Amino acid sequence: MQALIIGHTYIDIGHTYIDVIFRLPVGDEKHVASAYAISFGGNAVTAAFCAAKLSIVPDLLTTVADDWLGCMFLEMAAKYTITIHPRNVSMSSLSFIMPKQEMRAIVRCRDDSYFNSFPRLDLTGCRALHLDGHQADAAIHYAKLCRSAKILTSLDGGGLRSNTHDLLAFVAVAIVATRLCEQMRLTPPEMLDYLKSRRCRIGGVTVGERGLIWYDETGTVRSLAALAVPADKIVDTSGAGDVFHGACLYSHPTETWESHFRFARAASAHKIQHLGNETGLPSRKDIDDVRRRFGDPAEAVRGGLLDSLYACAHGTAERLS
């Protein structure tokens, strides 16, 4: 086992419209999509497939249903030689994704009523554990085991889960989304302080097209601006954060954290130019091509990101007071 990833499986159905004015059909209206994609989905699940494509093939503890969508998912995993440790449920979960430029609307149908307890796995050889907070019992169990075994544990904090606060006590690297900040009524800088209080060694907040604000092992806050992908090249931003985490699993531990995040940023920039998770999975060559095409934003731009986030935090604090 190279790495263990724990999450919740979705089958993603994404489609785009030619229409300039994008809206869902209502009543008896019918729209024709210009393109569609069907793929695996779920935060940690997509990260697992990304890592596998980059040659770090993980074990994946995730939900599986005995239906035709479940069979399709198992075939997808077999294609990438990912070992599945199933947590059985009655029905496969679905995500209907409607991307539009830098935004995407999502409707989810989820079954998380498990038939069985999570499997107890042998972690021999495992060098990383990645979680998204789903399967709360399994997540906390393996986070504790990996912390005691000095195995790196990372968390994709895409949203507030029932176990988020407790789980963070056993997480070394926590990269969270602005959605979690909103749910906890924290600004991105305040979220970094919260992650430090939970003793996360590395913490960060992704702020969409503005990039990443994060702190290193010394607690120094840094920023990393997003690559300037032209708006007309952005097709589907869903899954970009998941690809970021999958790329992080690949690049650890040979790089500094700064280089680590730069590599993952390029992987995300590749993903947003493709519809669907599978078509957006980058190869190492794809990532190198993105870095060559877009380079690194100027230091002045990166400094401006940090300044703007702290200014935003000050304004938010005044409104909440």
Side-chain angles (χ1 to χ4, degrees):
M1 180 188 294
Q2 297 189 74
L4 175 62
I5 297 181
I6 302 174
H8 186 100
T9 303
Y10 285 90
I11 296 298
D12 284 1
I13 302 174
H15 59 271
T16 58
Y17 291 105
I18 295 175
D19 309 48
V20 175
I21 300 174
F22 169 72
R23 63 180 179 83
L24 290 175
V26 296
D28 283 335
E29 291 180 342
K30 296 178 177 64
H31 288 183
V32 177
S34 57
Y36 74 94
I38 300 176
S39 181
F40 46 79
N43 303 95
V45 170
T46 302
F49 277 84
C50 178
K53 183 163 183 178
L54 290 169
S55 80
I56 301 296
V57 182
D59 283 42
L60 179 57
L61 199 171
T62 190
T63 51
V64 178
D66 184 16
D67 54 24
W68 68 273
L69 289 175
C71 292
M72 183 169 66
F73 172 72
L74 291 175
E75 289 183 5
M76 292 174 181
K79 175 183 173 182
Y80 288 82
T81 67
I82 295 172
T83 298
I84 299 296
H85 303 281
R87 192 83 182 266
N88 298 118
V89 292
S90 178
M91 297 178 63
S92 293
S93 299
L94 281 170
S95 287
F96 299 91
I97 303 171
M98 294 136 283
K100 182 65 174 179
Q101 296 174 342
E102 296 178 358
M103 300 179 293
R104 77 273 195 227
I106 302 176
V107 176
R108 289 194 175 113
C109 308
R110 180 166 67 213
D111 181 0
D112 56 6
S113 298
Y114 312 123
F115 290 167
N116 55 312
S117 181
F118 59 88
R120 272 58 176 180
L121 305 174
D122 181 0
L123 298 180
T124 301
C126 182
R127 66 181 182 87
L129 169 69
H130 180 62
L131 311 164
D132 63 8
H134 284 297
Q135 298 195 60
D137 51 354
I140 198 76
H141 172 82
Y142 283 105
K144 289 178 178 179
L145 280 182
C146 289
R147 170 60 69 90
S148 64
K150 295 182 169 53
I151 296 171
L152 180 77
T153 300
S154 64
L155 174 70
D156 175 0
L160 188 63
R161 317 279 188 210
S162 62
N163 63 339
T164 298
H165 182 77
D166 294 335
L167 188 59
L168 282 169
F170 303 97
V171 168
V173 182
I175 305 297
V176 310
T178 50
R179 178 168 173 254
L180 180 61
C181 297
E182 293 164 358
Q183 290 173 324
M184 296 182 65
R185 293 179 62 81
L186 297 175
T187 64
E190 289 169 342
M191 176 58 75
L192 295 187
D193 290 338
Y194 169 70
L195 295 177
K196 290 178 183 178
S197 75
R198 300 305 294 154
R199 301 186 181 278
C200 298
R201 182 157 52 97
I202 305 291
V205 180
T206 56
V207 285
E209 70 278 4
R210 290 187 291 174
L212 172 73
I213 176 175
W214 64 287
Y215 64 83
D216 62 19
E217 296 96 326
T218 68
T220 303
V221 177
R222 304 176 180 275
S223 65
L224 192 66
L227 296 180
V229 179
D232 63 350
K233 298 294 185 183
I234 298 175
V235 176
D236 179 13
T237 59
S238 64
D242 311 329
V243 166
F244 181 96
H245 285 277
C248 278
L249 284 171
Y250 169 79
S251 64
H252 176 78
T254 59
E255 305 283 348
T256 65
W257 285 105
E258 176 85 12
S259 299
H260 202 54
F261 292 145
R262 287 177 182 271
F263 180 86
R265 173 183 63 179
S268 293
H270 173 82
K271 163 62 193 79
I272 65 176
Q273 298 178 71
H274 299 82
L275 178 63
N277 287 336
E278 185 167 19
T279 56
L281 293 183
S283 65
R284 181 58 197 256
K285 180 181 181 300
D286 292 328
I287 293 172
D288 290 342
D289 287 346
V290 165
R291 301 179 86 172
R292 191 161 42 246
R293 285 175 60 198
F294 299 108
D296 280 331
E299 292 296 322
V301 174
R302 295 172 60 228
L305 167 63
L306 201 56
D307 292 342
S308 68
L309 286 172
Y310 275 100
C312 174
H314 179 70
T316 301
E318 288 183 340
R319 288 194 301 273
L320 292 176
S321 62

